[in-house]
Amino acid sequence: MQKPPGLDQQYSEACKELEQPENPFISHILQEVKLNSDILTKNTTVKIAGNNRLIPVVKVTDGDFQVLAAVFLNNVFLTGLDLRYNLLTDAGAAHIGAFLQDNHTLLYLNLMFNDMGTAGAEFIAKALHRNETLTHLRMTGNKIDNKGGMYFAAMLQINATLQKLDLGDCDLRTQSLIALATVLNHNVSIKAINLNRPILYSEEEESTVHIALMLRANSTLVELHLCKHEMKNFGIERLCDALYENCSLRYLDLSCNKITRDGVSFLGKLLKLNNTLEILDLNFNRIEDDGAFYLSEALALQNRTLQALAVTNNNITGQGLVALAEAMKTNQVLSYIYIWGNKIDEPTCVAFADLLQSGRLKPTSTDVEPYVVDGRTYLAEVSHGLKRHYYWTPSYGEPDNQDANASLAITPVEEHL
């Protein structure tokens, strides 16, 4: 039986047929994908990321993707395609849209930080009206703007396959956020959505109010990212009120907002009764000691569901940090805690050193590591967290390392997102 040609050979032939110059970076990547009888039974993700620092990179252009589409169209082994940090524009999005309409195997598509705009969003969103296989799409960092967000909201009314959608850093605005929230009232397929860093001009928090209304009705969503939403105590109160009635959300990301101790008081009350939330990300807010006390009280006395808590850079002093450490002694479920960037004093260092030395806290489940100098205990930062590799992946080692991306270990739906 004759061995089928390798992907690099197929790529070379497709370049000649379409009269496109060969991209040496693509050729190198495809040479590493061994097309043989074994791989036909495996799920394969081809990673052609333009930010690879280990080999010379010639970033993928619109013409390059046209060739790739011809190569991959009938290759049934391809289930994932990573094209982050390349030069794909709206013209390339038109090729991607055509590819998605004809392809029946691709499950994961990463288009993070290319140069697509509103027109590109329209091509891709409309292609997903017909696509019945793609389950995870990352549009992160493509400036699709408000109108592009509306195209994806319209798509979610029709598509029943997509489970994970990342529209973070896409310059969404209030209108498109409200449209997406409204659609998610009835969509039963989306399990994870990222709406990080929209462009908001109002101080009224209208989008947060609509997201809260959605959480009352939605029973499918497992993961919700609302980073950089300018959310204040009013918004967090609306979310908490809604979450009393929600029985599905396991991962809530509220990092980089304007939440203070008063806002965290609502979270503390919620955690005393909530039995579904497993990951809470409050990094880069300003909850201070009182906020830490509200959380530690709920965690020590009543909550036995939360597994991971991130409170880095929250202006918490030693008193608040020690209270959280004490809560971990009575709460055996909370296994991951991240505290770096606060006002760490010696009692904090001793408290977390004791947790680590006793085995209550694993060294891979926190972002600090104790060391002793002249009989005094200090803490050093280590590169662990919930999602350290969201915008980038390390040149060496495992990109999905669970020490740096603990949410992968806790919430399986988080893979790739």
Side-chain angles (χ1 to χ4, degrees), residues 7-19:
L7 279 180
D8 55 325
Q9 186 180 340
Q10 293 180 43
Y11 172 70
S12 180
E13 292 171 357
C15 283
K16 292 175 183 175
E17 185 176 334
L18 294 170
E19 298 181 347

Side-chain angles (χ1 to χ4, degrees), residues 117-363:
T118 301
E122 182 179 9
F123 289 128
I124 293 170
K126 288 186 175 178
L128 291 176
H129 288 197
R130 291 178 52 187
N131 182 285
E132 296 180 352
T133 52
L134 193 73
T135 60
H136 184 185
L137 174 64
R138 290 191 70 175
M139 291 293 293
T140 325
N142 290 285
K143 306 308 179 187
I144 66 174
D145 207 58
N146 191 60
K147 195 172 181 180
M150 297 298 285
Y151 287 127
F152 278 100
M155 176 273 293
L156 290 178
Q157 292 182 294
I158 299 168
N159 183 291
T161 310
L162 199 67
Q163 296 180 25
K164 310 172 195 176
L165 177 62
D166 190 337
L167 296 176
D169 299 273
C170 285
D171 288 1
L172 302 181
R173 299 177 193 267
T174 302
Q175 184 185 11
S176 51
L177 287 174
I178 291 174
L180 286 161
T182 304
V183 170
L184 289 176
N185 279 310
H186 308 290
N187 182 290
V188 294
S189 61
I190 290 288
K191 295 180 180 179
I193 190 162
N194 188 318
L195 300 173
N196 288 351
R197 211 227 68 183
I199 304 296
L200 302 175
Y201 296 105
S202 170
E203 296 289 328
E204 300 295 327
E205 300 192 66
E206 298 99 327
S207 58
T208 305
V209 171
H210 281 81
I211 290 168
L213 291 171
M214 175 272 294
L215 288 172
R216 290 180 188 272
N218 186 291
S219 59
T220 309
L221 196 67
V222 172
E223 181 176 339
L224 176 62
H225 296 266
L226 300 174
C227 172
K228 299 180 184 176
H229 269 242
E230 299 285 321
M231 192 184 302
K232 295 180 279 293
N233 298 331
F234 172 80
I236 189 66
E237 184 179 8
R238 300 284 83 72
L239 284 180
C240 289
D241 287 345
L243 286 171
Y244 284 108
E245 301 177 32
N246 183 284
C247 59
S248 64
L249 195 71
R250 302 207 306 263
Y251 184 174
L252 179 60
D253 178 3
L254 299 174
S255 58
C256 302
N257 280 293
K258 296 181 178 180
I259 300 169
T260 69
R261 60 187 184 180
D262 295 331
V264 178
S265 68
F266 302 117
L267 272 173
K269 292 173 184 176
L270 172 70
L271 288 175
K272 291 178 181 179
L273 298 173
N274 181 280
N275 59 6
T276 55
L277 206 59
E278 296 176 358
I279 305 174
L280 179 59
D281 188 346
L282 290 170
N283 290 337
F284 294 95
N285 282 285
R286 196 176 179 84
I287 72 171
E288 301 181 308
D289 284 345
D290 285 345
F293 293 149
Y294 291 131
L295 293 174
S296 59
E297 180 187 350
L299 293 168
L301 300 177
Q302 285 160 294
N303 185 281
R304 292 297 180 268
T305 310
L306 197 73
Q307 297 182 41
L309 174 65
V311 289
T312 65
N313 298 278
N314 262 282
N315 203 40
I316 307 172
T317 69
Q319 286 184 314
L321 295 170
V322 170
L324 290 170
E326 289 296 318
M328 290 195 72
K329 293 180 180 178
T330 56
N331 184 324
Q332 299 299 310
V333 176
L334 185 65
S335 305
Y336 301 82
I337 188 165
Y338 305 98
I339 64 164
W340 189 258
N342 291 295
K343 298 178 179 179
I344 296 173
D345 57 8
E346 188 172 10
T348 304
C349 298
V350 172
F352 277 86
D354 288 346
L355 286 174
L356 289 160
Q357 288 163 10
S358 68
R360 171 61 190 89
L361 184 60
K362 294 180 181 179

